[in-house]
Amino acid sequence: VALYKSVPTRLLSRAWGRLNQVELPTWLRKPVYSLYIWTFGVNMKEAAVEDLHHYRNLSEFFRRKLKPQARPVCCLHSVISPSDGKILNFGQVKNCEVEQVKGVTYSLESFLGPRICTEELHFSQAPPGNSFQQQLVTKEGNELYHCVIYLAPGDYHCFHSPTDWRVSHRRHFPGSLMSVNPGVARWIKELFCHNERVVLTGDWKHGFFSLTAVGATNVGSIRIYFDRDLHTNSPRYSKGSYNDFSFISNNNKEGIPMRKGEHLGEFNLGSTIVLIFEAPKDFKFHLKTGQKIRFGEALGSL
């Protein structure tokens, strides 16, 4: 594990990102993309543009859009999958620990960072002695839930809003860029806390809601469409550092309102989405660990 952590994955990811931006000759595009499609099982019939010659470079191909009808958004359930991927874990958060894969946990506070003490986020005014988990729960009788979705290299790389909510705050952790493949996640404890990630926090009708985009090897680029100030995988950073940005201002008291299914952001290759939110005790997930899921399908409801 120590040897793997010493690999310069950030440097390699930046190099890979630059390679992805190189425009391919028209004659080379089809064989290169066809090899990728065959290797990772990409379904190009869902793509808005099926013609492989249309994509000038690998980056454009990775970030391809889907046909509007390819992912119908479920209207019957309150929380939908924000992306295509595989369900690694889900359930209630217990003892301030969250499972990244079965049996391997990470600290909730290390992952989200220190509590954001702003009135705009409506955090509960819990006594200082209460746990970090209890401080996130704003309404009596609610519980804290989580869901981890792994995006493989062949998956659709954009992610969307999983519910109707408003985004009040963004916290960016530069971090490492180790692989988040489930096989690697099984043997590196707190992998998600080491890796670069963008934490969006806010609230929905039941209280606290957060969506975190976790970077990975060759996925230094995390883009949030409404956040032009966000720059990921920069050459220099201080270990353990993070930077905050509030979407609440004198001119904008509501933050960024997001509708269920609305475009939210994108990765440059496969990665991981982590949802952490509060909901009443009767909230139920409609999932199985290890199942494949597509953007727009139900995650859970009351």
Side-chain angles (χ1 to χ4, degrees):
V1 172
L3 183 64
Y4 177 61
K5 286 181 178 179
S6 70
V7 175
T9 51
R10 290 180 67 83
L11 180 63
L12 292 172
S13 297
R14 280 196 300 278
W16 175 252
R18 286 174 183 164
L19 180 63
N20 287 351
Q21 299 290 339
V22 174
E23 185 167 336
L24 296 175
T26 305
W27 62 269
L28 190 58
R29 293 174 189 176
K30 189 169 183 178
V32 169
Y33 302 147
S34 295
L35 177 62
Y36 187 91
I37 289 166
W38 177 78
T39 303
F40 295 108
V42 178
N43 182 3
M44 283 303 292
K45 291 184 178 179
E46 297 177 332
V49 180
E50 295 184 43
D51 181 11
L52 297 181
H53 297 103
H54 168 81
Y55 302 100
R56 294 173 297 177
N57 52 47
L58 281 165
S59 182
E60 284 190 3
F61 178 70
F62 293 145
R63 295 180 288 109
R64 65 193 176 276
K65 298 295 186 285
L66 298 181
K67 294 171 182 172
Q69 67 274 20
R71 297 287 187 277
V73 174
C74 177
C75 299
L76 300 177
H77 299 274
S78 52
V79 184
I80 62 166
S81 176
S83 66
D84 287 9
K86 179 181 179 180
I87 302 295
L88 294 190
N89 223 298
F90 63 92
Q92 279 190 23
V93 177
K94 296 180 179 178
N95 302 319
C96 296
E97 292 277 318
V98 187
E99 284 193 310
Q100 58 191 24
V101 292
K102 190 170 180 62
V104 181
T105 63
Y106 57 94
S107 160
L108 181 65
E109 186 168 6
S110 297
F111 181 69
L112 296 178
R115 182 172 164 232
I116 305 158
C117 297
T118 57
E119 294 178 3
E120 294 94 341
L121 291 184
H122 306 299
F123 281 139
S124 60
Q125 300 302 309
N130 279 22
S131 70
F132 182 81
Q133 178 179 334
Q134 290 170 324
Q135 291 175 20
L136 292 182
V137 177
T138 65
K139 298 179 181 179
E140 189 175 349
N142 279 3
E143 297 286 349
L144 205 61
Y145 297 87
H146 76 103
C147 181
V148 183
I149 305 168
Y150 168 69
L151 288 74
D155 287 328
Y156 167 56
H157 289 70
C158 297
F159 50 93
H160 300 247
S161 176
T163 191
D164 295 335
W165 65 308
R166 63 180 192 131
V167 184
S168 304
H169 187 271
R170 177 258 290 160
R171 176 169 282 165
H172 172 218
F173 294 82
S176 303
L177 285 172
M178 292 180 282
S179 171
V180 291
N181 182 285
V184 176
R186 285 189 185 94
W187 51 269
I188 298 184
K189 181 177 171 61
E190 299 210 328
L191 170 63
F192 294 164
C193 298
H194 292 305
N195 270 17
E196 180 158 24
R197 59 198 181 280
V198 177
V199 182
L200 300 178
T201 53
D203 57 272
W204 68 320
K205 61 183 177 180
H206 301 296
F208 174 78
F209 199 96
S210 73
L211 179 148
T212 302
V214 182
T217 308
N218 298 335
V219 198
S221 176
I222 301 171
R223 184 181 171 198
I224 304 297
Y225 295 137
F226 58 74
D227 189 354
R228 295 183 180 180
D229 294 323
L230 175 66
H231 300 287
T232 56
N233 198 9
S234 54
R236 295 180 181 179
Y237 76 99
S238 299
K239 190 172 182 180
S241 66
Y242 60 85
N243 57 77
D244 289 333
F245 184 85
S246 176
F247 298 110
I248 303 284
S249 66
N250 291 332
N251 298 324
N252 178 13
K253 301 291 187 183
E254 295 299 316
I256 308 294
M258 296 297 301
R259 303 294 297 174
K260 184 166 66 174
E262 187 177 349
H263 276 86
L264 183 53
E266 62 188 35
F267 294 111
N268 252 356
L269 201 62
S271 196
T272 298
I273 295 283
V274 179
L275 301 180
I276 297 175
F277 58 94
E278 72 170 292
K281 291 182 178 179
D282 56 350
F283 182 87
K284 299 293 183 187
F285 284 103
H286 305 289
L287 303 171
K288 292 181 180 178
T289 302
Q291 80 171 71
K292 291 287 289 181
I293 198 164
R294 305 205 302 177
F295 155 60
E297 295 178 347
L299 282 186
S301 63
L302 296 165

